[in-house]
Amino acid sequence: MRIGEIYRPGEFGLSFEIFPPKTSDGDAALWDNVERLALLRPAFISCTYGAGGSTRTRTVELCQEIQKRFSLPATAHFTCLGGTRAELREWLALARDRGIANIMALRGDPPAGQSEFRQVVGGLKNANELVTLIKAEFPEFGIGVAGYPEKHPEAADLEVDLVNLKRKVSAGGDAVYTQLFFDNASFLRFRDRCDKIGIKVPIIPGIMPILNFAQIKRITSMCGAALPPGLANRLEAAQEDKDAQFKIGVDFAIGQCQDLLERGIPGIHFYVLNRSQACETILTTLGHR
Ligand code: FAD
């Protein structure tokens, strides 16, 4: 199913995001986990595109495998760092020919060791340009774009960032998937402001169930999401106990999702970190069938 067809009135769009594993053990574990995630009947499973374009064909291959093994639509993430315009077209044609349903169209983060985004010579500078290219030349894809309730780290302020988000939506983005966040108030403010400036596509909260403290500290320091002090303190106090950290993370996500559901969100995009267990517990507790 294309992204534009998922969030109909009365429908709830669940999606899961995975990343290409770096080892064969990671690969084997991934398929066990994806099999369990598939049982939760997501609208799609998405697969990230490695920072700096490091997973060029792997993302498409994993998406194709998800579609084949589980008869589920897949969403391939793709970034402006995928190459020159000609190389971006080549990759999009490959994804189209392999039957991938949707593209998450992104600018991309710089590769490890590089602090700033550098546009590929002959390539694209911002995600809105990638959306424009896809819409004009590959209209068969559904298109997701990224939004930042706590603003993108490079943006001067949320106002400017929202104007840029609107460019992506006006160019053809079918839904906005947010960066992970832990403070629902920031998401609700963001959603209201999107509405006020005329962003009318579904805004899907991105939820990352915390699996352990060290990992979430690393992730939030990279993406700029704020970890509420109370939650950080509880995780820190449980530093020696992995199970306790997992339970704190799952309980927090249950409360967060419950509150968002009461506020009428059209779907949830879970950053699952290639593990199904937290989402299985969260969704079962929430009564998802
Ligand atoms: P853009 O929309 O281009 O925005 C980047 C910055 O430029 C913002 O500050 C924005 O305000 C500004 N801006 C945007 N358009 C313009 C314009 N026309 N003129 C001037 N300024 C502008 N990264 C990966 O490498 N691989 C992935 O698979 C991946 N998946 C992601 C999935 C989701 C749901 C999210 C939320 C993020 C993901 N990222 C991924 C991270 C993303 O690549 C980074 O956050 C990146 O820094 C910005 O990408 P973007 O698409 O939001 O960029």
Side-chain angles (χ1 to χ4, degrees), residues 208-275:
M208 180 176 282
I210 296 170
L211 305 183
N212 70 70
F213 188 40
Q215 182 187 47
I216 200 63
K217 271 198 298 188
R218 197 172 58 247
I219 292 171
T220 51
S221 74
M222 285 187 315
C223 74
L227 197 54
L231 176 61
N233 291 343
R234 268 180 284 145
L235 288 162
E236 191 166 23
Q239 272 206 83
E240 305 303 319
D241 185 343
K242 281 229 162 354
D243 292 344
Q245 290 174 52
F246 181 85
K247 183 164 172 11
I248 292 167
V250 165
D251 287 348
F252 186 88
I254 290 169
Q256 196 183 2
C257 293
Q258 189 116 48
D259 179 51
L260 290 169
L261 288 167
E262 284 162 13
R263 291 158 192 274
I265 48 166
I268 301 180
H269 184 68
F270 280 107
Y271 297 101
V272 303
L273 298 167
N274 291 4
R275 294 279 175 269

Side-chain angles (χ1 to χ4, degrees), residues 50-68:
S54 55
T55 63
R56 197 166 166 78
T57 53
R58 188 103 168 88
T59 298
V60 176
E61 285 159 8
L62 287 175
C63 284
Q64 191 184 15
E65 192 69 15
I66 287 165
Q67 296 199 154
K68 197 170 102 194

Side-chain angles (χ1 to χ4, degrees), residues 48-49 77 106-109 126-127 148 152 161 164 168 271:
T48 63
Y49 189 82
H77 293 217
L106 303 144
R107 183 196 72 177
D109 272 330
N126 282 110
Y148 302 84
H152 184 263
D161 207 24
N164 289 325
K168 296 192 275 196
Y271 297 101

Side-chain angles (χ1 to χ4, degrees), residues 173-224:
D174 294 307
V176 175
Y177 295 86
T178 79
Q179 184 58 278
L180 65 104
F181 63 91
F182 298 99
D183 173 20
N184 284 357
S186 67
F187 170 82
L188 297 167
R189 271 195 304 273
F190 171 78
R191 188 174 70 168
D192 284 352
R193 291 177 76 167
C194 285
D195 185 57
K196 278 205 184 90
I197 66 159
I199 297 173
K200 299 295 180 187
V201 296
I203 313 277
I204 312 303
I207 301 294
M208 180 176 282
I210 296 170
L211 305 183
N212 70 70
F213 188 40
Q215 182 187 47
I216 200 63
K217 271 198 298 188
R218 197 172 58 247
I219 292 171
T220 51
S221 74
M222 285 187 315
C223 74

